[in-house]
Structure formats: structure tokens, C-alpha cells
Amino acid sequence: EPTSAFGWISYLASRPRPAGGDAEAKARAACRDHLVSVGFEAREVSFTYSPWPGRWGTPAAGIAWILAALLAGLFPHAALIVLIAAAVLIALGARWLQRKGVLEGKAPGVNLEAKRGEPTIWLVAHIDSKSQPIPILVRAGSIVACIVIGVAMMAMAAFRVDGLAWQIVTLAAVLAGLPVAISTVGALSPGALDNATGVATVLLVAERVDRSVPLGVLITSAEELGLAGARAWVRGQPAKGTVINCDTIDDRGYLTIMHSHG
């Protein structure tokens, strides 16, 4: 069994760990055995979910935007209505997929839940990994570009701008949407940084906390598919306590801490 951060990261990232796969199950079993050895009561909690939102939600939004931009480009006099309708539909669809659609499915998933005492503090990390053909910075930049160009197109449509300028902005809208449309989810990455580092951090911190301190550890699955494991776990939890989620931990660069409650 690994005994150091480097050892855990090397072990977990020895191969890709797509949600529901054998590699993920093996890694989760190693985490369970380690937590039991340091005084936790551990159990695997099954849940069901839909992988569609996490796997295809982003490409679907990109395709929808490209189609809307093309329609607006072909019918400039109806462009404002087309663009507003597309923006509303994409926003509502994304909201539904994130809040409800993720757990409206039959795909099996497993979370690892471990406790010492009755914890009000939980250390959390996801164990599944994914790969994508488009880097996250490019995806984020493309989404921002789609929004900016969309607002520009609405303004141009409102003022009835057409001709070459309209054709150029339509082409820009389509090009901005292409990286979003091809941002599919694969299983090629070993997930060393995202998120073997987070799992290693949680395990080593849990090992070092005094055994008299109540503490919970949650290792989730299908985080890369719409936060499915975390959403399923929260559904069954009382509305109290603090969760500290560890994701993409590095010894270089800036430490980013985000907080939310509700």
C-alpha cells in the first residue's frame, strides 16, 4: 500500500480511471482498505445517474449555438428572435441537466463513505478521471467568445446591421462554437493531477488527524460526469456540516479556495 503522496499519486494514476470501470473500482478499494487501517468505518454507497449531461451536455450546447448562429446568419431579419430563443433554451437546458438530469438515469455508480464518530467535517475528493480533446482554457475561452459574439449579434440585429459585417460576425460565431461542440469526454487520461492529487491529499490528511476527532471522508465517483456522485450523496445527507473538497492539488502556483453554502 502506498505510504506517501508521491506513492499514492503514482498508484492511482498508473492507468485511467473512468467512472464505473475496473481501474476506478480497484483504486476505490485501495482507499477503503487504507481508511479502515487508520480507524475509519468505511462503506461503499451505490447510486444511479445519467452520464449523458456530463458526457454530451457541453457538445450539445456548442452544436445548438452553431445552429442558432447559422440560422441568424441566414435570416438576419429574424436573427434577434432566433438568438434570444437559443440563449434561453441553452440556459434552461443546462440548468435542468445540472440540477436534475444528472440523477435521472440508470447508470450505476459507487461512492466511498468513511467515518470516525459523528463527523460535521467531511474531506472529499473524486476518484474518476476523464480526457477531453480540447484543453480547459480553450473551452473556457470559446464559451466566453460565444457569449460576447452572441451579444454583439443581438445588438447588430436590433440595429438591422447586415451585409459583410453580418457575414463576418456569423462566421466568428460558428468558429467560436466549434471547440465547445467537440469537447467530448473520453477515457485516455490517467488523471494524475485531476484528481489523484486530491485523493492522495484527503487520505494523508485523514491519516494524520487525531483519531479522537470525528471526521468523515468521501471519495466520489462520476464527478467528471456532472458531479453525479456528489449530487447523489448530498441528496441523502442532513443539511448541516462542512465539506472540504480537494481537487487538482499542486505544490506550485497559487492556492485557490472557493466557498459556497446553501
Side-chain angles (χ1 to χ4, degrees):
E1 179 181 293
T3 58
S4 65
F6 178 78
W8 273 110
I9 294 169
S10 298
Y11 174 79
L12 294 171
S14 60
R15 54 178 173 158
R17 306 177 304 282
D22 292 339
E24 185 201 42
K26 182 180 178 181
R28 184 170 54 246
C31 295
R32 180 193 62 224
D33 293 344
H34 178 75
L35 289 168
V36 169
S37 73
V38 294
F40 284 84
E41 295 180 3
R43 65 179 184 132
E44 293 189 342
V45 183
S46 299
F47 63 91
T48 57
Y49 71 104
S50 171
W52 196 95
R55 193 176 299 279
W56 301 110
T58 299
I63 293 171
W65 165 248
I66 290 173
L67 292 176
L70 289 173
L71 283 174
L74 291 172
F75 305 101
H77 296 297
L80 188 58
I81 296 174
V82 170
L83 292 169
I84 291 175
V88 171
L89 289 174
I90 291 172
L92 291 177
R95 181 182 176 85
W96 182 84
L97 286 174
Q98 290 177 354
R99 297 202 169 198
K100 293 184 178 180
V102 171
L103 297 181
E104 298 292 330
K106 303 290 186 180
V110 180
N111 290 330
L112 174 62
E113 180 185 279
K115 298 193 293 185
R116 283 199 306 230
E118 295 299 325
T120 57
I121 296 178
W122 289 83
L123 304 177
V124 181
H126 73 88
I127 201 166
D128 58 307
S129 65
K130 71 172 181 181
S131 61
Q132 287 189 288
I134 305 298
I136 188 169
L137 288 178
V138 176
R139 294 200 307 273
S142 296
I143 292 171
V144 171
C146 287
I147 294 171
V148 172
I149 295 171
V151 172
M153 290 183 75
M154 290 180 191
M156 292 173 68
F159 288 99
R160 299 190 178 278
V161 176
D162 54 15
L164 181 60
W166 185 251
Q167 295 172 9
I168 291 174
V169 78
T170 300
L171 177 60
V174 172
L175 293 177
L178 285 176
V180 183
I182 60 175
S183 292
T184 55
V185 173
L188 300 178
S189 172
L193 186 59
D194 182 14
N195 189 32
T197 58
V199 175
T201 299
V202 164
L203 294 177
L204 295 176
V205 170
E207 176 186 321
R208 286 159 173 76
V209 172
D210 190 281
R211 296 195 181 196
S212 64
V213 177
L215 183 64
V217 173
L218 177 67
I219 307 295
T220 65
S221 177
E223 189 271 354
E224 301 288 10
L225 297 175
L227 302 174
R231 294 182 192 278
W233 184 76
V234 167
R235 274 192 175 184
Q237 295 301 307
K240 62 179 182 180
T242 300
V243 171
I244 302 173
N245 182 60
C246 297
D247 198 321
T248 311
I249 309 299
D250 201 351
D251 56 357
R252 296 181 180 180
Y254 294 100
L255 173 64
T256 302
I257 300 175
M258 296 176 287
H259 172 261
S260 65
H261 61 85

